[in-house]
C-alpha cells in the first residue's frame, strides 16, 4: 500500500509540473447571455490511481483487500456552467485474500484463499455536477468540487486461488459482462485556461456477485477507484471553458462596465454644459453692461467712455447740437392701429433663453420693425418686464428688469433713440393670470410695450 501511495504522489507531482509548463493567461470572460459557441464545452482527461475491492460502507467476500493501480480516460461535454455529460473508461486489477479475520473476530470460511480480477474495461456515462458554479460567492471558479453519478457496463476476468495454491479461472477465463453504477466525488484545480488537475473518489456498485470469482451470498460486489489526472479543455485557447464560467460574476462585470460608461458620458456632458454656460455668461455681460452709463450697452456702443449726461444716439455716440438747431413746438403723437399691430407682433414673437435675459434671434425681425417705427415717428416706448412667481422675489425682479433692458439695448442698436425708451422691471407683482397653472404662469412671463 505504501508503494502505491508513493507512486501516486510521484504521478501527481509530475502532472502538476506538466500543467504548470503549459499554463497561460486567463482569457476575457464572455459577455452576459453569450451563446454556447463563445465557450469551450468539450474536454478530454486522463487519470491513474488506486483500485480497491472495497467502498466506504463495506467490502466484498474476502477479508483483506489490497490496492492496485488503475487507469482510465474521460470525455466530457459541458452543457451548462454547472452540468456536464461525461463518458468514462477504466481498467486495472483488483486483489484481495483471506489473511485476516472478519470485523466480528470470526475467521473466514471460504474454499478460496485469494483472488485477482483483471478489469478489462469499465465504460460508463455519467452526469457531472460542478458545485462551485452553484456556490455563487466564488467569483472565479479556480477550485471546482463536483459530484458524479451514472450507469455503465464492465467486463472482467476473476482468477481465484486456494490455500494449496491451485488457481481457477472463473467463467473459463472469459470476460464476465455486468452493469454497474458509479457514484463519485472529486475536485478540480484550474492550473490554466486549458488544463485542470482532477482528483476524485468513485464507488462502483456491480450488478452481481461475481467480481471476486466467489459467490458467497445474495449481496452484490463493489469496488472503488481513487484517482488523480489531468483534464484538457478542447477548442480555442482564447475561449473560456463553460465549466469555470460564473454567470453572476458576468452580470456584475456588465453592470460595472455600463455604469462606468454612463458616468464618463455624464461627466463629459457636465463639462460641456459648464463651458457653454461660461460662454453664455460672458456674452450676457457684454450685452447688458453699460460701462459709460449712456443707455447703450457695451455690445452695441460704438463710442465707449462718453461723458456722463451727454445725449447720445442709438450707437452710443454724442449728439452734437449746432447753433442753427431750431426748437419747434412738439407735435401731438397719434398711435395708429397699424402701429399697435407692429408692437403686438413684437410682443408675440419675443423669446428669451430659459431663465435668462438673452434675446433669441427669432425675436429680431419683429423688433426691427418696432425700431423702424420709433425712428420714423416721434414715439416714445415704455418696456415693462414681468415674471411668474417661481423663484425668489429679488431674483424675479432682477430678471424682469434685465429682460426689459435687453429689449431696449437691441432697439437702440438698431438706431432707436435711447432717451425715448424706458425699461422697467416689475417682477411678479403684476400678474395678469393665475400662477397655479402652466398656462397662467406662461401668460405672466412677458414684456409689455407701450407706445406714447
Amino acid at each position: 500500500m505504501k508503494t502505491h501511495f508513493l507512486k501516486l504522489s510521484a504521478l501527481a507531482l509530475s502532472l502538476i509540473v506538466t500543467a504548470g509548463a503549459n499554463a497561460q493567461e486567463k482569457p476575457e470572460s464572455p459577455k452576459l447571455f453569450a451563446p454556447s459557441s463563445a465557450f469551450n464545452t468539450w474536454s478530454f482527461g486522463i487519470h491513474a490511481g488506486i483500485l480497491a475491492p472495497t467502498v466506504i460502507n463495506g467490502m466484498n467476500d474476502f477479508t483483506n483487500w489490497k490496492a492496485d493501480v488503475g487507469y482510465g480516460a474521460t470525455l466530457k461535454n459541458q452543457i451548462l456552467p454547472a452540468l456536464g455529460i461525461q463518458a468514462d473508461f477504466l481498467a486495472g486489477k483488483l486483489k484481495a485474500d483471506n489473511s485476516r479475520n472478519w470485523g466480528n473476530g470470526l475467521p473466514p470460511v471460504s474454499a478460496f484463499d485469494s483472488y485477482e480480477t483483471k478489469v478489462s474495461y469499465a465504460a460508463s456515462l455519467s452526469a457531472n455536477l460542478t458545485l462551485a458554479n452553484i456556490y455563487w460567492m466564488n467569483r472565479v471558479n479556480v477550485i471546482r468540487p463536483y459530484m458524479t453519478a451514472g450507469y455503465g457496463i464492465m467486463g472482467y476476468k476473476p482468477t481465484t486461488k486456494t490455500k494449496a495454491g491451485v488457481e481457477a479461472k472463473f467463467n473459463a477465463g472469459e470476460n464476465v459482462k455486468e452493469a454497474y453504477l458509479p457514484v463519485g466525488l472529486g475536485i478540480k484545480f484550474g492550473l490554466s485556461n486549458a488544463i485542470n488537475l482532477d482528483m476524485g473518489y468513485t464507488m462502483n456498485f456491480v450488478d452481481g456477485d461475481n467480481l471476486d470469482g466467489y459467490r458467497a451470498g445474495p449481496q452484490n460486489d463493489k469496488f472503488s477507484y481513487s484517482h488523480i489526472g489531468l483534464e484538457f479543455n478542447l477548442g480555442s485557447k482564447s475561449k473560456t471553458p463553460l465549466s469555470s464560467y460564473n454567470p453572476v460574476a458576468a452580470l456584475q462585470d456588465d453592470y460595472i462596465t455600463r455604469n462606468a460608461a454612463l458616468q464618463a458620458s455624464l461627466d463629459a456632458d457636465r463639462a460641456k454644459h459648464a463651458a457653454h454656460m461660461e460662454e453664455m455668461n460672458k456674452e450676457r455681460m457684454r450685452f447688458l453692461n453699460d460701462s459709460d452709463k449712456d443707455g447703450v450697452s457695451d455690445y452695441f456702443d460704438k463710442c465707449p467712455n462718453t461723458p456722463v449726461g451727454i445725449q447720445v444716439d442709438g450707437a452710443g455716440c454724442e449728439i452734437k447740437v449746432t447753433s442753427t438747431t431750431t426748437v419747434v413746438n412738439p407735435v401731438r403723437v397719434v398711435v395708429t392701429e397699424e402701429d399697435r399691430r407692429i408692437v403686438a407682433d413684437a410682443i408675440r414673437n419675443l423669446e428669451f433663453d430659459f431663465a435668462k435675459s438673452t434675446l433669441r434671434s427669432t425675436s429680431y425681425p419683429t423688433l426691427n420693425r418696432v425700431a423702424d417705427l420709433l425712428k420714423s415717428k416721434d414715439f416714445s416706448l415704455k418696456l415693462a418686464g414681468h415674471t411668474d412667481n417661481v423663484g425668489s422675489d429679488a431674483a424675479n425682479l432682477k430678471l424682469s428688469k434685465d429682460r426689459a433692458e435687453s429689449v431696449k439695448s437691441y432697439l437702440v442698436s438698431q438706431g432707436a433713440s435711447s432717451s425715448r425708451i424706458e425699461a422697467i422691471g416689475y417682477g411678479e407683482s403684476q400678474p395678469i393670470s393665475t400662477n397655479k397653472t402652466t398656462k397662467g404662469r406662461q401668460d405672466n412671463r412677458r414684456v409689455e410695450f407701450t407706445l406714447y
Side-chain angles (χ1 to χ4, degrees):
M1 181 66 181
K2 182 178 180 181
T3 302
H4 287 303
F5 179 78
L6 292 175
K7 289 180 179 178
L8 192 59
S9 300
L11 176 62
L13 181 61
S14 66
L15 291 177
I16 293 174
V17 171
T18 301
N22 290 279
Q24 63 183 34
E25 293 184 1
K26 180 175 171 46
E28 183 179 354
S29 180
K31 300 299 183 183
L32 194 63
F33 305 119
S36 59
S37 58
F39 301 89
N40 286 331
T41 57
W42 287 91
S43 62
F44 171 76
I46 55 174
H47 50 75
I50 297 174
L51 274 173
T54 181
V55 294
I56 293 175
N57 63 339
M59 297 173 57
N60 293 332
D61 303 319
F62 288 74
T63 61
N64 183 39
W65 63 270
K66 298 181 180 181
D68 211 314
V69 175
Y71 55 90
T74 62
L75 180 65
K76 185 179 70 170
N77 180 24
Q78 197 76 24
I79 58 178
L80 295 173
L83 180 63
I85 302 300
Q86 178 173 302
D88 291 275
F89 174 81
L90 175 64
K93 291 182 179 180
L94 296 168
K95 295 179 181 179
D97 61 32
N98 281 323
S99 60
R100 295 181 180 179
N101 290 336
W102 291 107
N104 57 10
L106 296 176
V109 178
S110 175
F112 303 106
D113 183 59
S114 65
Y115 81 94
E116 178 179 301
T117 295
K118 178 183 178 182
V119 179
S120 304
Y121 63 87
S124 64
L125 192 65
S126 301
N128 186 302
L129 184 64
T130 306
L131 302 179
N133 274 327
I134 299 175
Y135 183 54
W136 296 120
M137 290 182 68
N138 289 332
R139 177 175 175 81
V140 179
N141 297 321
V142 176
I143 300 177
R144 301 190 293 275
Y146 66 87
M147 298 174 56
T148 60
Y151 178 85
I153 300 294
M154 65 183 300
Y156 57 88
K157 299 178 181 179
T159 300
T160 57
K161 183 183 290 186
T162 65
K163 291 182 179 180
V166 178
E167 290 187 354
K169 294 186 179 295
F170 187 83
N171 197 34
E174 298 294 326
N175 268 327
V176 179
K177 297 179 182 180
E178 287 180 332
Y180 74 102
L181 301 176
V183 178
L185 290 170
I187 187 168
K188 292 180 181 179
F189 300 88
L191 302 179
S192 74
N193 181 51
I195 303 174
N196 299 313
L197 177 65
D198 181 17
M199 302 175 65
Y201 174 77
T202 306
M203 296 183 296
N204 302 278
F205 300 93
V206 183
D207 187 21
D209 191 28
N210 303 310
L211 188 63
D212 52 13
Y214 175 52
R215 297 176 181 172
Q219 69 174 6
N220 291 340
D221 288 334
K222 53 262 184 187
F223 67 99
S224 63
Y225 178 52
S226 302
H227 73 270
I228 185 170
L230 291 178
E231 180 184 41
F232 302 90
N233 294 314
L234 305 178
S236 173
K237 293 182 179 180
S238 63
K239 293 183 178 181
T240 295
L242 184 57
S243 60
S244 62
Y245 182 65
N246 189 330
V248 173
L251 178 63
Q252 184 187 39
D253 290 341
D254 181 72
Y255 169 78
I256 292 173
T257 300
R258 290 175 181 268
N259 185 66
L262 181 61
Q263 187 62 48
S265 176
L266 182 60
D267 291 341
D269 287 344
R270 284 174 175 170
K272 183 177 179 181
H273 177 69
H276 181 64
M277 291 301 297
E278 183 179 359
E279 186 64 26
M280 286 182 59
N281 286 333
K282 289 180 180 179
E283 289 297 318
R284 175 179 176 274
M285 295 307 297
R286 287 182 60 200
F287 192 79
L288 294 181
N289 282 354
D290 183 9
S291 302
D292 54 8
K293 308 299 182 184
D294 61 358
V296 179
S297 72
D298 294 345
Y299 189 82
F300 301 109
D301 199 338
K302 295 180 180 180
C303 299
N305 303 318
T306 54
V308 177
I310 297 298
Q311 187 175 4
V312 297
D313 58 18
C317 297
E318 180 181 358
I319 299 176
K320 297 185 180 297
V321 180
T322 65
S323 59
T324 59
T325 302
T326 59
V327 178
V328 297
N329 292 328
V331 179
R332 177 179 175 83
V333 176
V334 178
V335 180
T336 67
E337 288 300 321
E338 177 62 19
D339 297 335
R340 291 190 180 92
R341 187 185 64 79
I342 293 174
V343 172
D345 286 344
I347 295 174
R348 185 166 51 253
N349 293 310
L350 194 62
E351 292 186 2
F352 297 90
D353 287 344
F354 178 72
K356 302 292 182 182
S357 60
T358 306
L359 275 171
R360 291 182 177 176
S361 59
T362 54
S363 306
Y364 294 166
T366 51
L367 285 179
N368 290 342
R369 297 184 65 188
V370 174
D372 292 340
L373 184 64
L374 294 177
K375 289 187 293 182
S376 63
K377 297 186 178 182
D378 292 328
F379 285 156
S380 294
L381 178 66
K382 178 180 178 181
L383 300 170
H386 302 272
T387 68
D388 57 26
N389 67 345
V390 178
S392 66
D393 293 347
N396 287 334
L397 184 62
K398 183 177 185 303
L399 179 59
S400 65
K401 172 67 173 175
D402 288 347
R403 285 185 169 179
E405 289 286 354
S406 293
V407 176
K408 175 181 177 179
S409 295
Y410 182 80
L411 293 174
V412 171
S413 72
Q414 300 303 309
S417 175
S418 173
S419 61
R420 287 184 172 275
I421 303 175
E422 180 184 12
I424 302 175
Y426 293 98
E428 59 186 75
S429 63
Q430 297 182 11
I432 60 173
S433 185
T434 178
N435 280 307
K436 294 182 180 180
T437 66
T438 302
K439 176 64 169 57
R441 289 191 294 272
Q442 183 176 352
D443 291 341
N444 291 332
R445 297 191 294 269
R446 67 198 190 279
V447 174
E448 295 178 343
F449 292 52
T450 304
L451 284 175
Y452 60 94

